[in-house]
């Protein structure tokens, strides 16, 4: 990579704490925000690259930020005002891409961090996209289907000026799903007067979705973990896995692990967790959740807390719920050999340092959970061409990209003598910096 610094990292990096990681500025015990995490990671990784300070400042800054407040008529006739965001972080390598989150804790800073991670993620897996993210401050579970549709259609209308198949393509994230993508696509298409399927990805199959998209993130996590095991010479079959979060990413990761011959010994969601040292029957648990609306009460496992899950002795811990779950207060309890980040930003920089010191391998989010955006890219390509692929082709291409990306990151980490997160960031930021340099500054 032409843009890498020639000097060895030990020489070129300022290490205030002697470990290469800068101390987070938040007060002791305070929850660290995703934005602080994203900026701390960037500041650390950029020191390994020969990037002009002005370009570094540009790469650290979001290009475009839209905040919208809009009314929604509720079922009881009341009008409620909601706030949402859409942030484009960077478009040097192509149109911006990133999910839409519905959650009460959404904030502009969180959306900025998630948009920045999208830019590096797309660059790490080498797909021609920049990064974006969106969100609405809402608890979707408290809304009826009708209210959710009204909120989605109005939010889409508000952000319509800055989304398009050529410019910025949303997708699902926490709290959103294929139905919500269908409403977004329909709303945008109504404004245009014709169908525009490529404006969002993660849609249902019957309106231009891709086979394998729903499962792509979780599958991608396990393809990456399997490649990591191969690389380190560890035995994959029969290895023990603990998964935090049983939503789209967590439940598919658990199913994929089960199908690939691993033993899923612990699982959790926001209500609590389950443990069975002999392995949980994941398809049976998914069926139980479908019937009961919760994983709590499943009789073939003991109840555990989320803290127990994080501290579970196992081969692979997959945080697949949300940010900041492995942090300075619990990182020392982690006993897994490997942490595979299904969620975005689940490990804070302080926790990263602790895990590194303990010799625990962390497969970073921008590599590990990139399967979702890779198959979103496939969906967009299929929509543009109106030519659809078999699921087998999708999975095969996905696996090839995840394996190649893991190898790229691993090689970078080996050559530079750094952990996988730093290597992934150096690779991703380096590619975006190179594209910026090639394009030049306008005007
Ligand atoms: P989701 O809404 O489908 O599921 C989230 C899950 O996390 C739920 O099971 C919920 O109960 C659980 N959860 C929430 N808070 C928790 C807590 N404090 N402790 C334990 N469990 C908790 O969301 P998702 O789409 O699966 O996304 C999960 C994470 O993966 C997010 O960080 C998201 O940004 C990231 N991600 C998602 C995709 C995708 O394609 N959906 C792609 C890449 C990354």
């Amino acid at each position: 990579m032409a843009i890498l610094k020639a000097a060895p990292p030990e020489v070129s990096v300022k290490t205030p704490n002697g470990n290469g990681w800068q101390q987070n500025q938040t007060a002791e015990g305070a929850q660290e925000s995703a934005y602080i995490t994203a900026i701390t990671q960037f500041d650390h990784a950029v020191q390994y690259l020969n990037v002009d300070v002005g370009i570094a400042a540009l790469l650290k800054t979001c290009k475009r930020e839209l905040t919208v407040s809009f009314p929604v008529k509720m079922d009881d006739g009341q009008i409620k005002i909601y706030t949402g965001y859409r942030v484009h972080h960077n478009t040097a390598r192509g149109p911006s891409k990133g999910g839409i989150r519905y959650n009460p804790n959404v904030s502009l800073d969180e959306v900025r961090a998630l948009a920045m991670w999208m830019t590096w993620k797309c660059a790490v897996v080498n797909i021609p996209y920049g990064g974006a993210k969106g969100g609405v401050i809402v608890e979707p579970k408290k809304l009826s289907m009708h209210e959710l549709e009204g909120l989605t259609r109005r939010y889409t209308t508000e952000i319509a000026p800055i989304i398009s198949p050529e410019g910025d393509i949303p997708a699902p994230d926490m709290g959103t799903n294929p139905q919500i993508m269908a409403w977004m696509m329909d709303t945008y298409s109504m404004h245009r007067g014709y169908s525009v399927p490529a404006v969002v990805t993660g849609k249902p199959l019957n309106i231009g979705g891709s086979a394998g998209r729903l499962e792509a993130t979780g599958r991608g996590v396990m393809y990456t973990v399997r490649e990591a095991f191969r690389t380190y010479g560890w035995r994959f079959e029969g290895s023990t896995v603990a998964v935090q979060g049983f939503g789209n990413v967590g439940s598919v990761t658990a199913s994929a692990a089960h199908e690939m011959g691993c033993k899923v010994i612990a699982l959790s969601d926001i209500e609590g967790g389950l443990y069975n040292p002999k392995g949980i029957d994941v398809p049976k648990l998914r069926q139980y959740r479908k019937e009961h609306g919760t994983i709590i009460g499943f009789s073939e496992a003991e109840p555990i807390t989320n803290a127990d899950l994080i501290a579970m002795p196992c081969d692979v811990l997959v945080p697949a719920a949300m940010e900041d779950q492995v942090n300075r207060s619990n990182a020392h309890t982690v006993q897994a050999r490997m942490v595979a980040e299904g969620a975005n930003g689940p490990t804070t920089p302080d926790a990263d340092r602790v895990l590194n010191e303990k010799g625990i391998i962390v497969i970073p989010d921008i590599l590990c959970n990139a399967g979702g955006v890779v198959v979103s890219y496939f969906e967009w390509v299929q929509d543009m061409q109106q030519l659809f692929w078999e699921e087998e082709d999708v999975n095969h291409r996905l696996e090839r990209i995840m394996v190649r990306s893991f190898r790229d990151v691993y090689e970078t980490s080996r050559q530079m003598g750094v952990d996988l997160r730093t290597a992934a960031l150096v690779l991703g930021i380096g590619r975006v910096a190179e594209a910026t340099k090639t394009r030049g500054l306008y005007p």
Side-chain angles (χ1 to χ4, degrees):
M1 196 192 314
I3 219 151
L4 277 181
K5 269 187 181 165
E10 302 82 71
V11 178
S12 60
V13 179
K14 296 179 201 90
T15 55
N17 60 14
N19 285 303
W21 287 107
Q22 294 178 356
Q23 289 290 347
N24 201 309
Q25 296 304 307
T26 51
E28 188 63 38
Q31 208 196 20
E32 295 151 46
S33 82
Y35 188 64
I36 292 174
T37 298
I39 292 294
T40 307
Q41 290 172 350
F42 177 87
D43 287 343
H44 172 66
V46 82
Q47 296 174 84
Y48 291 84
L49 292 159
N50 258 327
V51 176
D52 175 272
V53 281
I55 298 294
L58 173 69
L59 298 181
K60 199 167 153 175
T61 311
C62 291
K63 173 188 171 77
R64 190 176 287 128
E65 303 179 345
L66 179 62
T67 301
V68 293
S69 292
F70 55 92
V72 178
K73 195 177 259 178
M74 312 307 282
D75 290 345
D76 63 3
Q78 252 194 86
I79 291 169
K80 275 199 183 164
I81 309 299
Y82 288 90
T83 299
Y85 308 97
R86 184 72 187 168
V87 170
H88 298 173
H89 170 252
N90 189 290
T91 55
R93 287 172 43 90
S96 53
K97 187 88 189 78
I100 305 280
R101 179 172 286 196
Y102 285 179
N103 189 276
N105 299 320
V106 162
S107 68
L108 183 54
D109 267 354
E110 182 188 59
V111 177
R112 284 175 175 146
L114 291 162
M116 187 185 276
W117 284 325
M118 284 307 298
T119 304
W120 315 143
K121 188 183 299 184
C122 293
V124 167
V125 292
N126 217 355
I127 57 175
Y129 283 143
K133 206 81 182 186
V136 178
I137 305 171
V138 60
E139 174 53 270
K141 284 192 184 133
K142 291 198 176 145
L143 266 54
S144 70
M145 280 294 269
H146 180 248
E147 291 167 341
L148 203 54
E149 180 175 353
L151 176 130
T152 299
R153 288 189 181 279
R154 184 62 191 247
Y155 168 66
T156 307
T157 303
E158 298 292 340
I159 64 165
I162 65 163
I163 63 171
S164 67
E166 301 82 18
D168 174 32
I169 308 117
D173 191 67
M174 264 176 84
T176 57
N177 57 29
Q179 178 60 69
I180 289 173
M181 295 305 111
W183 290 327
M184 290 191 76
M185 175 276 213
D186 184 69
T187 303
Y188 188 87
S189 299
M190 288 300 122
H191 294 173
R192 287 298 165 106
Y194 50 88
S195 284
V196 191
V199 69
V200 294
T201 57
K203 299 179 293 296
L205 272 177
N206 63 352
I207 55 164
S210 174
R213 171 59 186 90
L214 199 63
E215 299 82 7
T217 310
R219 249 182 216 145
V221 168
M222 288 313 297
Y223 288 150
T224 313
V225 168
R226 185 163 64 187
E227 185 57 22
F229 268 59
R230 254 185 227 140
T231 305
Y232 296 115
W234 299 354
R235 192 181 146 78
F236 180 69
E237 218 164 278
S239 57
T240 52
V241 179
V243 184
Q244 184 198 40
F246 204 61
N248 177 289
V249 181
S251 66
V252 178
T253 300
S255 296
H258 185 79
E259 281 161 22
M260 291 178 179
C262 305
K263 215 155 59 159
V264 180
I265 58 168
L267 280 165
S268 73
D269 71 6
I270 196 155
E271 294 176 317
L274 298 169
Y275 169 65
N276 181 343
K278 294 194 186 124
I280 295 169
D281 185 333
V282 182
K284 218 169 178 181
L285 177 63
R286 288 183 82 162
Q287 186 56 33
Y288 176 89
R289 210 246 324 245
K290 215 172 174 183
E291 286 162 15
H292 298 82
T294 175
I295 62 168
I296 307 303
F298 183 64
S299 63
E300 294 177 23
E302 296 167 27
I304 54 165
T305 64
N306 258 296
D308 296 333
L309 183 125
I310 297 287
M312 185 62 60
C314 59
D315 293 310
V316 190
L317 170 65
V318 185
M322 55 187 298
E323 296 100 76
D324 296 339
Q325 293 304 297
V326 184
N327 50 47
R328 73 172 72 166
S329 60
N330 65 6
H332 63 280
T333 69
V334 175
Q335 297 185 64
R337 286 172 99 185
M338 174 183 285
V339 173
E341 294 186 332
N344 286 311
T347 311
T348 65
D350 283 336
D352 242 333
R353 189 162 30 89
V354 174
L355 299 181
N356 276 333
E357 281 166 5
K358 287 174 68 134
I360 297 169
I361 288 166
V362 179
I363 308 185
D365 46 7
I366 58 170
L367 167 66
C368 197
N369 72 34
V373 74
V374 168
V375 178
S376 273
Y377 166 55
F378 296 162
E379 179 175 332
W380 178 77
V381 168
Q382 292 169 79
D383 286 341
M384 296 293 234
Q385 299 184 340
Q386 287 294 303
L387 182 66
F388 291 87
W389 312 346
E390 299 292 328
E391 182 162 356
E392 209 186 326
D393 293 339
V394 170
N395 292 343
H396 195 66
R397 285 172 193 253
L398 168 65
E399 183 170 7
R400 244 188 5 229
I401 292 183
M402 298 309 294
V403 166
R404 184 196 66 207
S405 305
F406 178 83
R407 288 183 187 159
D408 287 350
V409 171
Y410 177 75
E411 267 316 301
T412 308
S413 99
R414 221 178 45 85
Q415 281 170 18
M416 299 182 70
V418 295
D419 57 274
L420 295 176
R421 187 186 312 283
T422 305
L425 285 163
V426 165
L427 201 62
I429 297 169
R431 284 178 177 162
V432 180
E434 275 181 349
T436 307
K437 201 169 150 201
T438 308
R439 286 177 66 152
L441 290 189
Y442 176 86

